[in-house]
Amino acid sequence: MDEPDRWRNMASAPRDGSRILVTVRPTEQGPAEVDMAYWSRADQHGEEGWRSSDSQPGRVVEYADPELKCWMPLP
């Protein structure tokens, strides 16, 4: 990948299950932050979508597309 240290539009984020850094938009629940996430296909724990990489079965942190602003490959 060219320019690995630059933030990119979420539309270009890999949806192959690889872990990436994402920026999470600020909400009423908290300020903007950076998290490590991956694209997950639908399974018994939910529908396909972005999940926090530290999610565990039964305690899944999912992000809706509008919650994520941009992404970057892991350093």
Side-chain angles (χ1 to χ4, degrees):
M1 296 184 155
D2 57 336
E3 302 184 56
D5 60 343
R6 298 191 57 142
W7 291 103
R8 304 161 190 199
N9 187 295
M10 283 303 296
S12 68
R15 294 184 179 215
D16 61 3
S18 57
R19 283 160 169 63
I20 59 173
L21 294 176
V22 294
T23 55
V24 182
R25 296 179 189 275
T27 66
E28 292 177 2
Q29 288 76 34
E33 62 182 5
V34 173
D35 196 0
M36 191 178 342
Y38 65 97
W39 180 260
S40 176
R41 299 189 190 282
D43 62 15
Q44 72 269 21
H45 302 293
E47 298 179 20
E48 70 178 4
W50 294 105
R51 293 187 180 172
S52 176
S53 66
D54 61 359
S55 292
Q56 300 171 3
R59 297 177 63 182
V60 176
V61 176
E62 295 179 317
Y63 292 114
D65 284 331
E67 291 181 274
L68 302 178
K69 184 176 181 182
C70 49
W71 76 280
M72 178 187 297
L74 290 173

